[in-house]
Amino acid sequence: MTVTDIPLIAILRRLLNPSIIFALLWVIVLLHGESFSGLYMVLAVSAILVLSRIYDEMDIYQSWRRGALIGHARNLFIGWVAMVAVLAFAGYVTGLYVEYSEQVLLVWVIAGPFALLLVHLLVRMGILRRIFVGQGMRSVVIVGANDLGSKLARKIIGDPYLFMEIKGYFDDRIVERHPENLPAPVLGKASDLVAYVRENNTNIIFICLPMAAQPRILKLLDAVRDTTASIYFVPDIYIFDLIQSRFDSIHGTPIVSVCETPFLNVTSIVKRGSDMVLGSIILLMLLPLMAVIATAVKLTSPGPVIFKQRRYGLNGEEIIVYKFRSMTVCEDGPDVAQARKSDSRITRLGGFLRKTSLDELPQFINVLQGRMSIVGPRPHAVAHNELYRKLIKG
């Protein structure tokens, strides 16, 4: 359970979904006059584990909490289909699928996502009633009337499903140093915090002081630990330039990704699979056109048909990229002259190929080799990367 978990959402995620999957399969099995054997128990447990993992990866509860019901329903169904595909593959590989009733499996597969959606909607209606009458709201104060504290408060106010009510800020700085349009009033200085929390039975304290204020933070923590409030320190990670940021841990040690490849776990498998399928189809369709272009390149200027050049690919590894030759030279050394407008090295046919990007068609071979992706960052010549990395940050 985390600070952002509300009880009903936590129950939905950890209890209701598994219960629905198990109960639905149990009822369907009994209605078809069969006994709920150990094989069906294995199927239910496998479905629960796989679907829970898929839903966590998809983060389907974000759309649920934002009120995007159509998006949430879509994500529910997509996740369910993915789970069925995984179990179907496992059943085919192991041969266990023949042990199950086809009618039972068909009804369960079709009814499953509708049952999940129905229960999710009922739970949502219950939460909306709680919000309307103000039940279960948790009072919150923030230490630090700064940009981070303002950002956090706006996030909380914008998500009623957190069941948090911002009461105000505590800050030692003068009013002139506070951000404009704070979403809550300043209730006093940090020294007033403990008394306020005790008198008002405050539930949650967020400490949004900069990391440079470590002595003040430690002193404040010692003071508020004597209260019954939950205390959370909010590190100001926005001082970093975060790309693809996420939180993780290594055996309990928390870490924050500052810059991370997006191709991890299931994402890399889906990405590679789509590249293989689409790349093969596109390459087959373009083979006649590529044959015509290759013949034209060979007949119009001396030199190889295919231009090869070293470039940086995934994880900074060097790859060889293929293109139809559009110049009279094939540079691939430590110094590669950048192409310019009206460059004399560009052949007449090469100018047309570059303008229409037809010179890049052989890169679909790179896609099938796993060196490139159909959709992704443009790889540049190694020499250009080494030159511009010294001139342009990142």
Side-chain angles (χ1 to χ4, degrees):
M1 181 82 69
T2 66
V3 65
T4 56
D5 276 332
I6 28 179
L8 285 178
I9 290 181
I11 291 174
L12 187 70
R13 178 184 294 164
R14 296 178 173 88
L15 180 60
L16 285 186
N17 284 348
S19 298
I20 295 166
I21 295 171
F22 183 87
L24 182 64
L25 181 60
W26 181 74
V27 170
I28 294 173
V29 169
L30 293 185
L31 290 177
H32 281 78
E34 297 190 30
S35 61
F36 195 81
S37 63
L39 283 173
Y40 283 112
M41 178 68 76
V42 171
L43 176 61
V45 172
S46 300
I48 290 169
L49 294 176
V50 173
L51 191 64
S52 297
R53 179 61 178 175
I54 291 173
Y55 280 167
D56 284 343
E57 288 291 333
M58 295 175 66
D59 200 8
I60 65 169
Y61 301 99
Q62 286 295 330
S63 58
W64 190 86
R65 290 162 73 163
R66 290 196 306 266
L69 297 183
I70 295 178
H72 182 65
R74 181 189 65 244
N75 292 337
L76 274 178
F77 277 77
I78 291 175
W80 180 268
V81 170
M83 179 272 293
V84 170
V86 171
L87 294 186
F89 177 76
Y92 177 78
V93 171
T94 60
L96 286 177
Y97 72 96
V98 298
E99 304 293 334
Y100 296 98
S101 166
E102 292 184 1
Q103 290 184 334
V104 169
L105 294 181
L106 181 62
V107 174
W108 182 64
V109 166
I110 295 175
F114 291 99
L116 286 171
L117 180 59
L118 176 62
V119 174
H120 283 212
L121 291 177
L122 292 175
V123 171
R124 180 180 174 79
M125 290 172 60
I127 290 182
L128 287 174
R129 283 195 295 269
R130 284 183 59 187
I131 293 175
F132 182 76
V133 299
Q135 293 180 348
M137 299 299 289
R138 297 177 288 178
S139 57
V140 174
V141 295
I142 298 176
V143 181
N146 47 34
D147 291 335
L148 179 60
S150 177
K151 187 189 295 282
L152 174 64
R154 295 184 193 281
K155 295 286 186 182
I156 293 174
I157 294 171
D159 187 354
Y161 293 99
L162 292 176
F163 283 85
M164 295 182 188
E165 183 180 3
I166 303 292
K167 295 298 185 179
Y169 294 90
F170 288 87
D171 196 288
D172 291 333
R173 299 179 306 169
I174 58 176
V175 177
E176 287 74 14
R177 296 186 61 189
H178 295 165
E180 296 182 0
N181 301 319
L182 278 174
V186 177
L187 303 174
K189 297 183 178 298
S191 57
D192 304 321
L193 174 65
V194 175
Y196 177 91
V197 169
R198 286 175 175 168
E199 291 174 5
N200 296 275
N201 293 322
T202 302
N203 301 119
I204 298 174
I205 302 171
F206 288 113
I207 300 178
C208 296
L209 297 177
M211 287 184 278
Q214 181 180 357
R216 292 168 54 202
I217 295 172
L218 294 176
K219 182 178 179 180
L220 186 62
L221 287 174
D222 286 338
V224 296
R225 278 200 181 101
D226 195 33
T227 68
T228 58
S230 299
I231 307 163
Y232 299 92
F233 174 66
V234 185
D236 191 3
I237 61 174
Y238 296 101
I239 61 175
F240 305 107
D241 183 15
L242 301 182
I243 302 175
Q244 300 288 341
S245 176
R246 68 182 181 89
F247 291 89
D248 206 337
S249 65
I250 299 178
H251 293 291
T253 300
I255 59 174
V256 180
S257 64
V258 177
C259 184
E260 178 183 62
T261 175
F263 303 119
L264 294 172
N265 303 325
V266 178
T267 306
S268 62
I269 299 174
V270 174
K271 181 73 169 174
R272 182 64 186 140
S274 61
D275 281 342
M276 289 289 290
V277 174
L278 293 176
S280 300
I281 295 173
I282 294 172
L283 197 57
L284 287 173
M285 294 174 61
L286 293 177
L287 276 178
L289 175 60
M290 293 175 65
V292 172
I293 295 174
T295 303
V297 171
K298 190 65 177 177
L299 295 177
T300 55
S301 62
V305 171
I306 298 296
F307 164 61
K308 303 176 183 179
Q309 190 176 68
R310 294 176 304 116
R311 302 192 175 188
Y312 284 133
L314 184 64
N315 298 324
E317 296 179 1
E318 282 194 7
I319 61 174
I320 302 296
V321 171
Y322 306 128
K323 299 177 69 174
F324 284 122
R325 182 175 54 81
S326 59
M327 289 185 170
T328 57
V329 297
C330 295
E331 297 176 331
D332 187 28
D335 297 311
V336 177
Q338 182 75 52
R340 304 178 302 275
K341 187 176 181 180
S342 303
D343 197 314
S344 60
R345 298 172 299 167
I346 300 177
T347 65
R348 182 174 298 181
L349 176 63
F352 170 75
L353 295 178
R354 295 169 72 93
K355 187 175 182 180
T356 57
S357 296
L358 291 174
D359 63 321
E360 298 184 358
L361 293 183
Q363 291 178 14
F364 282 106
I365 298 174
N366 290 125
V367 172
L368 295 185
Q369 291 175 328
R371 295 175 178 175
M372 294 180 63
S373 178
I374 294 176
V375 179
R378 179 183 179 87
H380 298 283
V382 170
H384 291 162
N385 264 43
E386 296 304 325
L387 171 63
Y388 291 117
R389 74 164 70 250
K390 302 171 185 177
L391 303 176
I392 303 173
K393 182 179 179 181

